[in-house]
Amino acid sequence: MATFLYKLGRLAFRRRGLMTLLWVLVFAGVGYAASVATTPPADTFSMPGTESQKAFDLLQKKFPAAGAEGASARVVIRAPQGQKISGPEVRHKVETLVGDLKKAPGVIGAADPYQAKSVSKDDTTAYTVVTYKDAAPKLADKEHDGLDAALDKGRSSGLTVEAGGDAVKIEVSAGSGEQIGILVSAIVLLLTFGSLIAAGMPLLTALFGVGIGISAITALGSTLGLSSTTSTLAMMIGLAVGIDYALFIISRYRSEIAEGRERAEAAGRAVGTAGSAVVFAGLTVIIALAGLAVVNIPMLTKMGMAAAGTVAIAVLIALTFVPALLGWAPIRVLRRIERKQHKGKPLSARQQRKAAKLAARTKPNLASRWAGYVLRHPVAVLLFGVVGLGALAVPAASLQLGLPGEGTMAPSTTQRKAYDILSESFGPGFNGPLMITVSGKDAKTAATTLRTDLTQQTGVDSVSPASPNEANDTAILNVVPKTGPTDGKTEDLVHALRGLASGEEGKTGATEILVTGQTAMFIDFSKTLDDALLPYLGLVVGLAFLLLMLVFRSVLVPLKAALGFLLSVSASLGAVVAIFQWGWLKEAFNVEQPGPIMSTMPIFMIGVVFGLAMDYEVFLVSRMREAYAHGAGPHEAVVTGFRYGGRVVSAAAIIMASVFSGFILDDNSLVKMIGFALATAVLFDAFVVRMAIIPALFALLGRSAWWLPRWLGAVLPNVDVEGEKLGKHLTSARAASTERREHEYVG
């Protein structure tokens, strides 16, 4: 592989005009396809194989009118202190508010709370459901402003008015966190390379690749059913790996130039060696993202596949477009002093002092000195790293998963205020009702019988009368629990009702009884993710283990890589639980509402961090393997790997952590949580696992770290990531060239 990539790198460098033109044409073509593509479909959420999804599909079939996609808002109204909601004066104000809501833009109806009997028992609170013609994603500012104006008018009359539902606009502040992260990345790249051109290339190529990936997702949206949110993960991962891969190639090119290589030769060797690491690092990321398909949730599968495609584009850009850009500025990617030295120009006295410092720095730099320290004290470093991450991972044992809802929003939002008022006046279970579907020849009679038994069930607050469809083959019962939607007792109630269903089917004459509703769907979603987590980990880690074994031709190296990854992820999860679930340091991170961790966060974090962790592992250890394959001892190979790869891996980790940390400044608690989890996981993995625990294990294992059974070595193909075959190929090519010139001279 290294030989093929070497030739590809030289070709891209020498034919830089053609290669640049090809990528520009690809960018323009995909961009044009995206601009003329039809509007992508709205987000759809489904969980094949779950009871709640089965019941939901039944409702869409049997109650088509109830399946209207129009948005809705539940407006909660509370009377002034000491007054009743049914009092004449207050009632007039409420009816005026309902009238204003009916006249608001896009509204097709608003229920009268007095006729709909949606008044609390203490006669202090009422609510009305406002329905819209269009779905929530299609509502424009006109509709949102009309609703807000009606609510404000009701408040000015002395009523307490709050609203929840998908028709209510979610306020999102225009945060600058992402921009700060990119700015930090640019600064780190500039400090790492000491050249504006070299610092700008990784950012340019990463944005270029993300642009192609997002445009392709948009262009294929209607064909493959990719919603607009599918690109979220692709954008995050594409930017991360795009910067990393370009950073690796450019860094190796500069090293080859420093060793006196000719420019095209340096580009070829950079792609042949560092490019091999990029290919296999990219494959591990693709495996992790494509592995989301095992969760069996179509939305996650599409997001994973779209992100995997963006990573593949990032790999291709690193192997072809980056060396082409190096061809346009082969010397300007070096530091100013190095550029002058390369051109043979005289240096000033100050530049000579700087050059002397740079030369001294190349002998034992900070990374190689750190590697030497770890090699001298491997046990202490190993214990400190493992015990420290283990202590941080302890809170992860108390991890509670859930899905976001209005009850988890900030207390200052109108959605959260409406949620709290309804809980106080109608009971905590009112915000999370369950829906039971009853199928049978006489569904109404069966549902009525079932209702009698359900009212006696522990944990049930109330059960609505049966509502059959026109054919009377399906009926609906709405069950209000005594506990809130995120309460563990509500989950127990869902399981109890489902267990009760089999016995009730024979008693009531129903053919099938199913439990669904938003609360039940959230419970099923969390359980689906819980059940898929171990298979997902097994698939991703197992396939990556085989891939890394192929790369490093070792059994212990990929095993250490996988175990180290699990340790860093566990520590990050522990930190997330401590801050976002327990509320530790919540003021420092502006966490307004500690609560359950979002169900999708752990599996997303595993996919993202696993890919980045293997990036660092492959790039750092491949340098060690390269030195070891060329005759260096085990300890010398570790120092060599850190000397050439430590600074680059550190820069890549700081860049990624800064990009992810930008999301911590977001007002959205879920975005904040994901940003914190990814940033801490990257820092733990890069600086504790890859830079401390892994070299300590290499020091303790010595040559056995590279052990591979002979029979396995004979079976595994040699992909030559370290460039051993490439070196032999170049040596033989030079020898043949010299012999040919001598023959021509003698002739």
Side-chain angles (χ1 to χ4, degrees):
M1 175 181 284
T3 304
F4 169 76
L5 293 178
Y6 164 80
K7 295 177 180 178
L8 180 63
R10 281 182 64 92
L11 177 65
F13 186 92
R14 296 167 69 92
R15 304 292 184 185
R16 51 188 173 274
L18 177 62
M19 190 62 68
T20 303
L21 177 62
L22 288 175
W23 276 111
V24 170
L25 289 176
V26 169
F27 185 86
V30 176
Y32 175 77
S35 66
V36 299
T38 57
T39 304
D43 290 323
T44 57
F45 181 81
S46 62
M47 295 180 296
T50 62
E51 180 172 329
S52 56
Q53 184 64 45
K54 184 178 180 181
F56 182 76
D57 294 340
L58 177 66
L59 289 172
Q60 285 190 316
K61 179 180 179 181
K62 299 295 184 178
F63 293 85
E69 297 182 355
S72 65
R74 188 160 59 176
V75 178
V76 184
I77 311 155
R78 174 165 282 180
Q81 184 71 28
Q83 299 185 39
K84 300 295 184 181
I85 199 73
S86 59
E89 184 180 350
V90 175
R91 180 166 183 156
H92 175 70
K93 294 178 181 178
V94 172
E95 290 174 344
T96 301
L97 171 60
V98 173
D100 292 336
L101 291 170
K102 289 180 179 179
K103 298 175 185 176
V107 173
I108 59 175
D112 186 324
Y114 302 102
Q115 294 180 4
K117 298 182 179 180
S118 52
V119 177
S120 63
K121 293 180 180 179
D122 61 4
D123 201 20
T124 62
T125 308
Y127 68 89
T128 177
V129 177
V130 183
T131 54
Y132 285 78
K133 178 181 179 181
D134 294 327
K138 296 182 179 180
L139 295 183
D141 290 340
K142 179 177 65 173
E143 284 81 8
H144 291 302
D145 293 342
L147 176 62
D148 292 340
L151 299 181
D152 290 338
K153 187 176 179 181
R155 291 173 184 136
S156 64
S157 68
L159 299 173
T160 298
V161 184
E162 305 296 345
D166 59 356
V168 181
K169 185 177 181 180
I170 298 177
E171 297 295 335
V172 179
S173 63
S176 58
E178 295 85 347
Q179 291 86 341
I180 293 175
I182 294 177
L183 177 61
V184 173
S185 302
I187 294 173
V188 172
L189 286 169
L190 185 59
L191 293 176
T192 302
F193 287 136
S195 163
L196 282 173
I197 299 295
M201 277 189 188
L203 291 174
L204 173 64
T205 54
L207 292 173
F208 197 85
V210 167
I212 293 176
I214 300 304
S215 298
I217 293 171
T218 304
L220 297 172
S222 58
T223 304
L224 301 180
L226 305 177
S227 67
S228 57
T229 57
T230 305
S231 60
T232 303
L233 184 62
M235 184 181 298
M236 181 182 293
I237 301 298
L239 185 63
V241 300
I243 293 176
D244 275 3
Y245 297 163
L247 177 64
F248 296 160
I249 298 292
I250 295 170
S251 175
R252 186 59 183 256
Y253 171 82
R254 285 159 51 103
S255 297
E256 296 294 337
I257 289 290
E259 292 179 10
R261 311 281 186 203
E262 184 265 333
R263 299 172 187 180
E265 178 72 10
R269 285 178 175 266
V271 177
T273 51
S276 298
V278 166
V279 169
F280 283 95
L283 284 175
T284 59
V285 183
I286 291 172
I287 288 173
L289 294 171
L292 288 172
V294 304
V295 182
N296 196 29
I297 295 177
M299 179 186 69
L300 297 185
T301 300
K302 292 176 182 179
M303 291 182 72
M305 292 300 182
T310 306
V311 171
I313 293 171
V315 172
L316 292 175
I317 285 178
L319 300 179
T320 57
F321 192 34
V322 170
L325 291 180
L326 288 172
W328 292 109
I331 301 303
R332 293 185 65 83
V333 295
L334 305 177
R335 297 176 187 272
R336 181 178 300 178
I337 294 176
E338 295 169 339
R339 292 199 297 268
K340 280 196 171 185
Q341 290 176 326
H342 190 82
K343 294 178 180 179
K345 293 183 178 181
L347 302 178
S348 64
R350 181 184 176 188
Q351 289 175 333
Q352 289 176 1
R353 289 194 298 270
K354 282 189 175 182
K357 289 182 179 179
L358 284 173
R361 197 181 298 169
T362 57
K363 295 176 183 177
N365 60 14
L366 179 61
S368 57
R369 291 198 299 271
W370 167 251
Y373 176 83
V374 175
L375 292 172
R376 292 192 301 272
H377 309 282
V379 176
V381 172
L382 181 63
L383 287 177
F384 182 81
V386 172
V387 172
L389 292 181
L392 289 171
V394 170
S398 302
L399 177 68
Q400 294 180 358
L401 298 179
L403 283 176
E406 294 180 347
T408 60
M409 290 185 174
S412 59
T413 61
T414 185
Q415 293 95 328
R416 176 60 186 278
K417 291 176 180 178
Y419 181 96
D420 291 341
I421 292 173
L422 288 172
S423 295
E424 294 170 8
S425 300
F426 294 89
F430 188 81
N431 284 297
L434 304 175
M435 184 179 291
I436 298 181
T437 64
V438 181
S439 302
K441 293 182 179 180
D442 187 0
K444 182 177 181 180
T445 302
T448 302
T449 304
L450 176 63
R451 178 175 183 263
T452 303
D453 294 341
L454 290 178
T455 54
Q456 300 173 3
Q457 182 71 24
T458 303
V460 172
D461 184 63
S462 64
V463 184
S464 69
S467 300
N469 62 349
E470 291 183 5
N472 195 27
D473 59 359
T474 305
I476 299 173
L477 292 171
N478 288 307
V479 177
V480 177
K482 291 182 178 179
T483 50
T486 60
D487 196 303
K489 293 181 179 179
T490 303
E491 182 176 352
D492 295 338
L493 176 62
V494 170
H495 296 317
L497 294 179
R498 287 174 173 170
L500 182 70
S502 58
E504 289 289 334
E505 286 172 1
K507 179 180 177 181
T508 62
T511 57
E512 189 174 44
I513 298 175
L514 301 172
V515 180
T516 187
Q518 187 181 63
T519 300
M521 291 194 77
F522 282 6
I523 292 171
D524 287 347
F525 184 76
S526 296
K527 186 178 186 304
T528 299
L529 288 174
D530 286 345
D531 294 342
L533 192 58
L534 287 180
Y536 175 71
L537 267 176
L539 174 69
V540 170
V541 175
L543 289 177
F545 179 87
L546 295 176
L547 191 63
L548 292 178
M549 187 165 61
L550 186 68
V551 173
F552 297 122
R553 302 189 67 77
S554 166
V555 174
L556 296 180
V557 169
L559 180 62
K560 291 186 288 135
L563 293 177
F565 157 74
L566 293 176
L567 190 60
S568 59
V569 165
S570 299
S572 180
L573 277 177
V576 169
V577 170
I579 293 173
F580 292 91
Q581 183 178 311
W582 292 356
W584 293 5
L585 301 176
K586 64 178 183 180
E587 291 82 9
F589 290 93
N590 195 26
V591 179
E592 294 183 329
Q593 184 61 35
I597 305 302
M598 185 174 64
S599 298
T600 54
M601 197 278 294
I603 205 161
F604 270 142
M605 186 181 74
I606 288 171
V608 174
V609 176
F610 183 82
L612 294 176
M614 294 306 105
D615 280 356
Y616 307 145
E617 176 77 14
V618 169
F619 191 76
L620 189 62
V621 180
S622 63
R623 272 290 194 161
M624 300 179 191
R625 173 67 186 174
E626 183 178 343
Y628 185 77
H630 288 86
H635 284 203
E636 184 184 355
V638 172
V639 174
T640 301
F642 269 78
R643 178 178 179 179
Y644 291 105
R647 186 177 184 181
V648 179
V649 170
S650 299
I654 292 173
I655 288 169
M656 289 307 97
S658 63
V659 170
F660 294 142
S661 295
F663 294 99
I664 300 177
L665 303 177
D666 199 286
D667 285 343
N668 188 306
S669 60
L670 303 178
V671 174
K672 187 192 302 287
M673 183 190 303
I674 292 174
F676 176 83
L678 293 176
T680 54
V682 165
L683 292 175
F684 291 156
D685 196 272
F687 291 104
V688 181
V689 174
R690 309 300 152 194
M691 307 287 279
I693 294 177
I694 294 300
L697 288 172
F698 270 114
L700 295 174
L701 293 173
R703 293 186 181 275
S704 60
W706 305 105
W707 170 76
L708 183 72
R710 289 185 179 179
W711 64 269
L712 187 56
V715 173
L716 290 177
N718 189 352
V719 295
D720 190 32
V721 174
E722 66 276 359
E724 185 177 5
K725 290 183 180 179
L726 173 61
K728 293 178 181 178
H729 169 77
L730 295 176
T731 301
S732 61
R734 283 194 297 268
S737 177
T738 302
E739 183 180 348
R740 185 167 55 252
R741 286 196 301 269
E742 291 176 350
H743 179 73
E744 292 173 352
Y745 176 75
V746 172

